[in-house]
Amino acid sequence: MRTLTLRGGARVAVVAAQWYDAFAVVTRGRVQLELRDGEPGPVLGRDAGFWLRGTGVRALRNPGRRTARVRIVTPRPAPPHASQHPYASCRMTEERHNDGGTT
């Protein structure tokens, strides 16, 4: 599971290859979808879940001043480059959970 953190006013481009099979949930703040033509799309609040596959959304924006967080769930591990992001205003982290097994 990955977490995308967007500072107030931040914008992050949606790269289709990174979001192909991802389901996202807003866990803090609000996130606005930027549509393919650059027009503002819907603003999603806390607990809103969404797929971006096939939607044409080209970016996620934080329309507020407070930090927003989006949890990203994929059925397969994220590629190694997915946690590296060129935007200073957002941060992508990957969380590893202990499933209780032995190593």
Side-chain angles (χ1 to χ4, degrees):
M1 186 178 324
R2 295 174 286 163
T3 301
L4 175 66
T5 303
L6 293 161
R7 292 186 191 136
R11 176 186 180 275
V12 61
V14 171
V15 178
Q18 292 177 346
W19 291 86
Y20 177 72
D21 58 354
F23 181 75
V25 178
V26 178
T27 59
R28 179 179 177 191
R30 298 180 308 143
V31 174
Q32 183 171 31
L33 306 181
E34 183 178 308
L35 305 178
R36 182 181 323 198
D37 59 3
E39 291 295 316
V43 176
L44 306 174
R46 185 175 179 181
D47 295 332
F50 57 98
W51 295 95
L52 291 178
R53 180 180 179 180
T55 63
V57 169
R58 72 178 193 180
L60 300 177
R61 290 180 5 99
N62 179 350
R65 291 185 288 168
R66 302 180 105 186
T67 299
R69 286 196 186 111
V70 179
R71 285 284 176 104
I72 303 161
V73 182
T74 56
R76 59 187 162 92
H81 65 277
S83 62
Q84 300 171 0
H85 211 282
Y87 300 99
S89 59
C90 68
R91 185 176 70 227
M92 181 85 78
T93 58
E94 190 163 340
E95 298 177 7
R96 300 181 197 283
H97 299 283
N98 184 350
D99 63 0
T102 59
T103 56

